[in-house]
């Protein structure tokens, strides 16, 4: 199993709908979780981080973490065409070997006007 | 968030030559990293740049091919040596542990787009 897995998509949703992006990860001890957005030709930018089970909301974005099931998701409410981008899930582990930081392959989202 | 700059922003190079990419952060960071992102793919970590000592390389990357320097807490360079067309990619610098931010969060520079002919 890869350390971090995402569906590559593409995921298409109509404008105003909820976009749901999912990510699963390997269990390697203490973890932190991040969602990045990357527009075509641009570098990644941080959207949200989450560290404990449950939901974390920031504007139209909600990150959900379920450590028992080893998944983290990102919900985008009231999706806008400007949300069209690739969304990268990242996980940071703290292990006996040190810190490890892995990115998923990204999910491409298209919001249709 | 911190400002992370890279230069050059892009370059076109001949096979067999070397290119050094510079990364500057506007505040001290605890850790700096170099990534490669090939077209349509996610990020691949090349190495962690350690201040004052040799970088820590990921599997598949070696110092002779990608020498890295980090003379202080705000600056690092990555050299792509003896380039081949397979090295054509976007190279991204990132920093973690910026003052005033979560120590877990990484911020990325704008990237350097390298094309090797």
């Amino acid at each position: 199993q890869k350390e971090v897995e995402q569906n590559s998509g593409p995921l298409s949703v109509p404008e105003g709908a909820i976009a749901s992006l999912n990510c699963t990860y390997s269990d390697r001890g203490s973890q932190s979780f991040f969602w990045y957005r990357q527009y075509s030709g641009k570098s990644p930018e941080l959207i949200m981080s989450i560290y404990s089970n449950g939901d974390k909301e920031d504007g139209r974005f909600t990150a959900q973490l379920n450590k028992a099931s080893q998944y983290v998701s990102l919900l985008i409410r009231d999706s806008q065409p400007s949300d069209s981008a690739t969304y990268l899930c990242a996980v940071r582990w703290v292990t006996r070997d040190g810190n490890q930081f892995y990115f998923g392959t990204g999910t491409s989202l298209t919001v249709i006007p | 968030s911190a400002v992370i700059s890279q230069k050059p922003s892009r370059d076109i190079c001949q096979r067999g030559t070397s290119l050094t990419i510079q990364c500057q952060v506007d505040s001290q960071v605890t850790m700096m990293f170099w990534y490669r992102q090939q077209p349509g793919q996610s990020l691949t970590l090349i190495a962690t740049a350690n201040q004052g000592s040799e970088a820590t390389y990921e599997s598949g990357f070696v110092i002779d091919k990608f020498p890295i320097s980090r003379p202080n807490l705000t600056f690092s360079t990555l050299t792509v040596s003896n380039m081949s067309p397979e090295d054509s990619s976007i190279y991204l610098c990132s920093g973690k542990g910026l003052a005033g931010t979560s120590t877990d969060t990484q911020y990325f520079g704008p990237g350097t787009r390298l094309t090797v002919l």
Side-chain angles (χ1 to χ4, degrees):
Chain A
Q1 179 188 4
K2 292 183 180 179
E3 289 80 7
V4 182
E5 293 198 66
Q6 295 179 254
N7 290 329
S8 61
L11 173 66
S12 294
V13 300
E15 183 174 356
I18 296 175
S20 178
L21 306 163
N22 298 311
C23 174
T24 59
Y25 60 91
S26 301
D27 186 9
R28 290 191 178 188
S30 175
Q31 303 115 341
S32 307
F33 305 88
F34 307 89
W35 282 99
Y36 288 83
R37 176 175 62 197
Q38 186 174 27
Y39 292 110
S40 180
K42 302 294 185 181
S43 58
E45 55 181 333
L46 179 68
I47 298 176
M48 293 191 70
S49 58
I50 186 167
Y51 305 97
S52 55
N53 277 327
D55 294 0
K56 179 181 178 181
E57 187 174 316
D58 183 0
R60 295 186 296 112
F61 298 97
T62 299
Q64 299 175 319
L65 175 60
N66 185 323
K67 290 188 177 183
S69 301
Q70 294 174 218
Y71 82 78
V72 56
S73 63
L74 180 69
L75 301 178
I76 307 174
R77 291 183 300 281
D78 187 24
S79 296
Q80 302 297 309
S82 59
D83 295 326
S84 298
T86 296
Y87 289 81
L88 299 166
C89 170
V91 182
R92 172 180 175 266
W93 287 277
V94 178
T95 69
R96 286 180 296 179
D97 297 326
N99 297 339
Q100 297 174 310
F101 200 96
Y102 286 95
F103 284 87
T105 54
T107 299
S108 175
L109 171 67
T110 300
V111 180
I112 304 168
Chain B
S1 61
V3 172
I4 302 179
S5 60
Q6 286 183 234
K7 57 180 180 181
S9 58
R10 59 177 63 223
D11 207 343
I12 301 173
C13 301
Q14 297 295 323
R15 180 195 299 260
T17 63
S18 298
L19 175 72
T20 296
I21 303 168
Q22 298 181 6
C23 176
Q24 179 73 53
V25 189
D26 69 352
S27 61
Q28 292 186 348
V29 294
T30 55
M31 300 183 76
M32 294 181 74
F33 306 89
W34 287 98
Y35 289 84
R36 181 170 72 184
Q37 186 173 31
Q38 295 180 311
Q41 298 187 24
S42 188
L43 299 160
T44 300
L45 180 62
I46 297 172
T48 302
N50 300 311
Q51 187 206 356
S53 64
E54 189 173 292
T56 304
Y57 290 85
E58 297 299 305
S59 176
F61 298 96
V62 295
I63 187 172
D64 291 344
K65 176 66 176 177
F66 297 102
I68 288 170
S69 77
R70 188 181 175 192
N72 57 52
L73 290 175
T74 62
F75 184 78
S76 178
T77 67
L78 167 74
T79 299
V80 186
S81 303
N82 187 25
M83 288 183 284
S84 66
E86 291 72 33
D87 294 321
S88 297
S89 186
I90 297 172
Y91 291 84
L92 292 149
C93 168
S94 78
K96 187 168 77 74
L98 282 71
T101 70
S102 164
T103 56
D104 281 337
T105 306
Q106 285 187 274
Y107 294 90
F108 287 86
T112 297
R113 183 179 295 272
L114 170 63
T115 302
V116 183
L117 303 177

